[in-house]
Amino acid sequence: MDTYELLTRNTDEVVVEDEVRELAQDPDGKRVYVGYEPSGVLHLGHLLTANKLIDLQDAGMEVVVLLADVHAYLNDKGTFEEIRETAERMRAQFLAYGLDEERTEFVYGSDYQLEEDYTLDVHELELSTTLNRAQRAMAEIQSGETAKVSHVVYPLMQALDIEYLDLDLAIGGMDQRKVHMLMREELPAIGYEARPVLHTPIVADLTTGDGKMSSSEGITISMEDSTEELEEKVNSAFCPPTRDPEGDLENPVLELFEYHVFPRFEEVVVERPDEYGGDLTYESYETLATDLESGELHPADAKGALASSLDELIAPGRDVLSEMRA
Ligand code: NAL
């Protein structure tokens, strides 16, 4: 696979292509970041960006994971102490999931976001950014209905972090795109350089194929799920025999194969009794999706293989979590 393709596979948006192509010429030692508000347990949304980070490490890049404790605080996610504890647990889960410990740097926002230089730069961004712009950037991130002053400081800090962490590339889910667009415009306004960004897709809700999968609404899969819970959730998933259900719906079972399973496994074996044709082995998402559409692969069999692949992916993180609680 060529380097540009490895960097950009399974993304919904590349901002902008020329800059990422240039990065693909010489990715060795370049720094990419992703940031997360610490939250108790990793779910598939986090893991989707983590898969992208693993691709980038494979291309030779250094990964920086920002445990965005100050951001979580500004977004009303708990007391500062609670958030710090959660961040520590989150770090352990990322490593268990397969990020390369040697080439992953974990940074707390509070390590540098409370310094004088940083604070003065935040104030400069407050002066150059309209209130309206900052509020719009937060539409998909803000917790609660009422916008607080903290919610408009938040995206300015996220933009500034890209400068302070000395990054060559930023990664985030599609829900982060308006913050990144603000970064592209506002960093140059205060004399810093904008950076390229990759946006990963938001996987549809498992049972309906609609909207986004998140821990707050609908059913998601988390690192805490037991093998049995995972099987139950996957079995109840929406899985029409097509990759493009009508309207805005998605096929979440196929999405999970595409974004979570095939990037991490060389092949997927669907076990079937001999009287139903015997086992099927897939080496690519394409062939599996084609067989589901043609009827060669039954949704129930696809779900069985999906549940066991996901189980294998989250098992190390599940073990780390239970050790930390013991
Ligand atoms: C991600 C978040 C917060 C701050 C960041 C700073 C730099 C890079 C990434 C960052 C969290 C993200 C969320 N906004 O919604 O989880």
Side-chain angles (χ1 to χ4, degrees):
M1 193 180 310
D2 99 340
T3 309
Y4 179 78
E5 162 139 29
L6 179 63
L7 298 186
T8 58
R9 69 171 174 167
N10 293 338
T11 59
D12 265 4
E13 186 178 38
V14 176
V15 188
V16 294
E17 182 175 331
D18 284 355
E19 294 172 30
V20 177
R21 285 205 179 274
E22 197 180 317
L23 197 63
Q25 300 286 324
D26 184 20
D28 214 39
K30 295 288 192 329
R31 286 159 64 85
V32 54
Y33 93 82
V34 68
Y36 303 97
E37 289 183 23
S39 71
V41 178
L42 295 189
H43 56 72
L44 287 181
H46 297 111
L47 300 185
L48 198 135
T49 12
N51 285 339
K52 191 71 244 160
L53 295 176
I54 292 171
D55 284 344
L56 300 173
Q57 282 182 333
D58 287 345
M61 296 182 74
E62 308 278 337
V63 166
V64 184
V65 177
L66 177 72
L67 300 169
D69 51 358
V70 177
H71 282 87
Y73 184 71
L74 292 172
N75 205 14
D76 206 11
K77 298 292 174 70
T79 68
F80 212 73
E81 288 67 36
E82 286 164 354
I83 292 166
R84 286 296 297 243
E85 270 175 41
T86 306
E88 206 39 52
R89 250 184 294 143
M90 199 168 179
R91 175 181 191 279
Q93 292 171 68
F94 271 117
L95 290 175
Y97 182 65
L99 286 180
D100 178 353
E101 187 157 11
E102 301 274 298
R103 274 193 296 162
T104 310
E105 183 187 343
F106 288 88
V107 178
Y108 285 94
S110 56
D111 288 345
Y112 62 94
Q113 289 163 348
L114 306 170
E115 303 283 335
E116 181 174 334
D117 288 358
Y118 185 93
T119 305
L120 285 173
D121 274 345
V122 173
H123 292 329
E124 196 174 348
L125 280 176
E126 289 164 359
L127 276 168
S128 64
T129 310
T130 65
L131 194 51
N132 190 295
R133 185 79 207 266
Q135 264 186 298
R136 270 188 290 134
M138 286 301 281
E140 293 186 48
I141 298 173
Q142 184 182 317
S143 70
E145 293 288 306
T146 313
K148 306 283 180 60
V149 174
S150 66
H151 286 129
V152 291
V153 176
Y154 180 124
L156 306 182
M157 289 177 57
Q158 187 164 339
L160 200 55
D161 289 338
I162 294 171
E163 170 66 28
Y164 273 72
L165 295 169
D166 191 21
L167 300 166
D168 301 294
L169 176 69
I171 305 287
M174 284 295 277
D175 54 343
Q176 306 294 315
R177 70 185 301 279
K178 287 188 176 152
V179 175
H180 288 139
M181 295 308 164
L182 183 152
M183 177 277 291
R184 302 269 313 174
E185 266 178 41
E186 297 298 337
L187 277 188
I190 65 164
Y192 296 130
E193 204 179 322
R195 309 301 206 282
V197 188
L198 301 176
H199 290 129
T200 52
I202 304 290
V203 174
D205 180 84
L206 257 192
T207 46
T208 62
D210 193 11
K212 79 176 201 180
M213 186 194 282
S214 78
S215 47
S216 52
E217 18 180 319
I219 292 190
T220 188
I221 287 170
S222 87
M223 268 207 176
E224 210 165 30
D225 289 341
S226 66
T227 305
E228 295 70 31
E229 283 168 325
L230 239 166
E231 280 167 0
E232 237 169 78
K233 288 179 182 180
V234 172
N235 274 330
S236 66
F238 176 61
C239 184
T242 166
R243 60 183 102 189
D244 290 311
E246 303 207 350
D248 291 335
L249 297 184
E250 304 291 340
N251 183 326
V253 170
L254 283 181
E255 285 190 328
L256 293 176
F257 272 115
E258 183 174 15
Y259 301 128
H260 286 283
V261 178
F262 281 101
R264 298 291 307 277
F265 294 104
E266 298 281 316
E267 58 174 40
V268 173
V269 178
V270 178
E271 292 180 11
R272 290 193 308 193
D274 285 341
E275 68 258 41
Y276 294 113
D279 293 356
L280 291 165
T281 301
Y282 295 102
E283 288 174 11
S284 75
Y285 167 71
E286 249 339 282
T287 51
L288 184 145
T290 304
D291 274 8
L292 186 83
E293 292 189 307
S294 73
E296 171 67 20
L297 173 63
H298 190 275
D301 292 325
K303 287 177 178 183
L306 177 62
S308 60
S309 306
L310 291 175
D311 190 50
E312 202 175 318
L313 285 173
I314 70 173
R318 183 199 292 143
D319 293 347
V320 162
L321 272 173
S322 68
E323 275 166 31
M324 289 182 93
R325 287 186 177 142

